[in-house]
Amino acid sequence: MKKRASGPAGQRVSGSVGRRGAKAATLWAPSGAVDAMMLAYTVGDDREWDGRLLPWDIYGSLGHLDGLRDAGLVSTREYAALRRELRTTLAAAIRGRFGVGADHEDAHSAVEARLTRRLGAAGERIHTGRSRNDQVATDLRLFLKDRLLAVHRSGCRTADALTRFAARHRTALWPGYTHTRRAMPSSAALWAAAHAEGIADTLDGLPALWRRVDRSPLGSAAGYGAPLRIRREVAARALGFSGVEPNVGAVQNGRGKLEAAVLFWCTQLGHDLAKLSADVILFSGDEFGLLRIPASLATGSSIMPHKRNPDLFELTRARAAALEGDLFQAMAIGARLPSGYHRDFQLLKAPLMRGLDRAEEMLAMIAHAVEGLEVDRARGRELLQGGTLATDEVMRRVETGVPFRRAYREVAAELKRGASFPAPSLAALVARRGSTGGVGNLGLGELRARIRVAARWATVQDRRFTTALARLAGRRA
């Protein structure tokens, strides 16, 4: 699914409820009243987060239905009726005409209640052989496949935008910095390509994570399987998974660990973008003046009319920190629990979904912003004067036969006496840096090819996934 609803903005279930008479439909209390205060507390804001899982829950039920038919646990007539109604429900959910309401405990109860209301006993068969434990695990993995591919696509676009920036500014020289002090000649292109390559490195980590996400947990039930002759592989194939999670007990044991792995990958992208943002904030300041942020991408001051503030980059830096918070929350919830399912896992949804949202939004914003950044070439050349060229002078003397250490001491002494060294021509500065990855040999073609390979990998995975979902939904891929 390419579109998604936004996550909840911290909504809470009302606490003004009586102790008895809860009306929410649960799948575990077929009769008798449920304490309303307890139910409100245990559900919390889960309905809102579950709203984002609702289409995936319906897809999961369609896949599960294929498994039930294969096992002979539904009749041909029941299968046809359930599939038709699930497809109708899916279309309604995607259009926003069906959701998780206040009378439902979660997405699972919302779907099952609708099926039972419309189909009677046939609707009651849909939960055969599964638990809400493997149901939500399946929903989350389907959701993750969709969102991870979306974040990956945004990452490719951001890396590509930086590569194109580098190509436009190959000859825009400026100082490189260590310890935030001028060090040696560098370039706007080297800077941008370095950030593009860093993002590409992070994107390279997704295929390994994908192999874990791309295993179906369906059929593991509450962590111990079901005493039915159900072939789990049937539902897995129907849902576009590459296979099943082999050990049914590993499904629940992996909760928290998988979410943390996803958020760690997102956090690495956040670190890439935070470092780039910190550079832009610094380099666009008056004291540096190497980059210019266009007025359309800057904010102003309510009291100082001259200000042009880099708010989008500052907020990217802050969002990267918030992403770390999402990761730490997932790690803390999942840590030190004994084996099996625990209700603690419910609270993993919020940081997981928030973190994926943050990563995708940050990447999209930076890709857009990079297109508008401008380079002040004259200022870059101006800042190359003086000590920034000292290492070039050392190497020039080395090439005439002077031992490196002696040349180093000679140049250091001359600098101490106030000497300055004439700047070589632009062409000479670039030519002297022709080794692989240097200012004069950035390898942008290879970097572009690397980004294309990453994009093709995502396209292949997306095609396999969306084709399976389209088949379940009864539409063309």
Side-chain angles (χ1 to χ4, degrees):
M1 296 181 65
K2 304 304 178 192
K3 293 186 179 179
R4 54 178 169 74
S6 1
Q11 298 101 317
R12 294 186 61 194
V13 176
S14 172
S16 56
V17 293
R19 291 188 56 80
R20 298 286 175 189
K23 295 181 180 178
T26 70
L27 301 178
W28 48 269
S31 61
V34 176
D35 187 297
M37 186 174 178
M38 182 278 291
L39 189 62
Y41 179 78
T42 55
V43 171
D45 62 359
D46 198 49
R47 291 188 186 95
E48 287 77 25
W49 295 112
D50 253 28
R52 294 182 65 173
L53 292 180
L54 182 60
W56 305 112
D57 193 76
I58 301 166
Y59 277 120
S61 291
L62 281 162
H64 180 60
L65 182 60
D66 279 7
L68 294 180
R69 179 183 63 171
D70 176 75
L73 293 169
V74 292
S75 68
T76 301
R77 185 175 179 180
E78 288 169 330
Y79 173 80
L82 282 165
R83 184 176 67 170
R84 182 174 59 252
E85 191 55 44
L86 282 167
R87 287 175 173 177
T88 300
T89 302
L90 176 63
I94 290 172
R95 294 190 185 105
R97 296 176 183 170
F98 171 63
V100 182
D103 55 339
H104 302 126
E105 186 184 12
D106 50 31
H108 321 308
S109 58
V111 174
E112 188 168 332
R114 178 179 167 117
L115 292 177
T116 303
R117 186 172 65 252
R118 297 194 174 204
L119 300 177
E124 293 182 341
R125 292 191 186 278
I126 194 64
H127 202 61
T128 304
R130 68 178 178 180
S131 160
R132 284 193 303 173
N133 305 103
D134 64 335
Q135 201 170 345
V136 71
T138 303
D139 297 354
L140 283 166
R141 293 201 193 190
L142 293 171
F143 168 83
L144 281 174
K145 289 174 75 171
D146 178 69
R147 290 294 87 218
L148 285 170
L149 289 175
V151 174
H152 188 277
R153 282 190 293 270
S154 289
C156 287
R157 285 192 287 269
T158 306
D160 184 61
L162 285 161
T163 305
R164 284 185 276 111
F165 179 96
R168 290 195 300 273
H169 299 290
R170 286 176 185 270
T171 58
L173 298 188
W174 65 23
Y177 291 84
T178 64
H179 307 276
T180 61
R181 306 293 189 269
R182 276 180 264 175
M184 292 174 64
S186 181
S187 70
L190 178 65
W191 170 80
H195 284 294
E197 194 158 319
I199 292 172
D201 284 342
T202 303
L203 295 177
D204 282 348
L206 183 57
L209 174 58
W210 184 264
R211 288 192 289 274
R212 296 169 61 186
V213 175
D214 198 24
R215 298 193 300 232
S216 173
L218 202 55
S220 62
Y224 306 100
L228 292 167
R229 295 183 182 277
I230 294 178
R231 293 191 300 161
R232 296 176 58 209
E233 292 78 7
V234 173
R237 281 195 301 271
L239 289 165
F241 286 105
S242 62
V244 299
E245 186 81 46
N247 184 295
V248 294
V251 173
Q252 299 307 322
N253 287 354
R255 293 288 303 276
K257 182 179 178 181
L258 181 61
E259 287 88 343
V262 168
L263 288 169
F264 179 69
W265 182 71
C266 291
T267 299
Q268 289 177 297
L269 286 169
H271 285 184
D272 294 329
L273 300 180
K275 186 177 288 293
L276 184 148
S277 295
D279 284 350
V280 174
I281 293 164
L282 196 65
F283 293 168
S284 62
D286 294 340
E287 288 74 13
F288 284 78
L290 296 168
L291 291 172
R292 287 191 296 268
I293 301 173
S296 61
L297 292 176
T299 60
S301 164
S302 62
I303 190 173
M304 297 170 285
H306 67 288
K307 293 300 292 300
R308 185 181 287 186
N309 298 322
D311 285 21
L312 82 87
F313 295 100
E314 291 173 338
L315 287 170
T316 299
R317 190 171 56 185
R319 279 186 170 90
L323 228 173
E324 289 184 19
D326 296 326
L327 169 61
F328 295 152
Q329 185 176 345
M331 291 175 66
I333 291 170
R336 293 175 295 280
L337 293 173
S339 297
Y341 174 78
H342 307 276
R343 192 65 180 266
D344 310 52
F345 296 154
Q346 176 178 306
L347 299 188
L348 290 166
K349 293 175 190 172
L352 177 67
M353 294 181 185
R354 274 200 314 263
L356 285 160
D357 286 350
R358 289 192 221 272
E360 187 177 359
E361 289 162 358
M362 290 160 64
L363 287 162
M365 187 68 253
I366 294 299
H368 176 66
V370 165
E371 298 288 352
L373 283 180
E374 301 166 2
V375 177
D376 189 330
R377 292 172 177 250
R379 178 61 173 162
R381 287 302 302 272
E382 178 187 342
L383 292 179
L384 284 178
Q385 304 301 317
T388 308
L389 296 170
T391 304
D392 278 68
E393 177 62 19
V394 170
M395 299 309 170
R396 186 192 66 77
R397 298 183 188 192
V398 165
E399 287 181 332
T400 67
V402 179
F404 168 78
R405 192 54 62 196
R406 186 199 306 168
Y408 178 96
R409 287 194 295 267
E410 289 174 354
V411 170
E414 291 172 31
L415 283 170
K416 193 172 182 180
R417 293 195 297 269
S420 61
F421 306 105
S425 68
L426 175 66
L429 279 169
V430 172
R432 293 178 66 85
R433 290 163 169 79
S435 58
T436 302
V439 169
N441 185 12
L442 290 171
L444 296 183
E446 290 86 347
L447 181 53
R448 288 192 195 95
R450 185 179 177 192
I451 296 167
R452 285 196 299 270
V453 167
R456 280 198 298 271
W457 172 86
T459 298
V460 169
Q461 302 306 322
D462 185 64
R463 187 180 299 120
R464 180 166 62 86
F465 183 45
T466 55
T467 298
L469 296 185
R471 190 181 300 115
L472 285 173
R475 61 174 183 269
R476 291 181 176 231

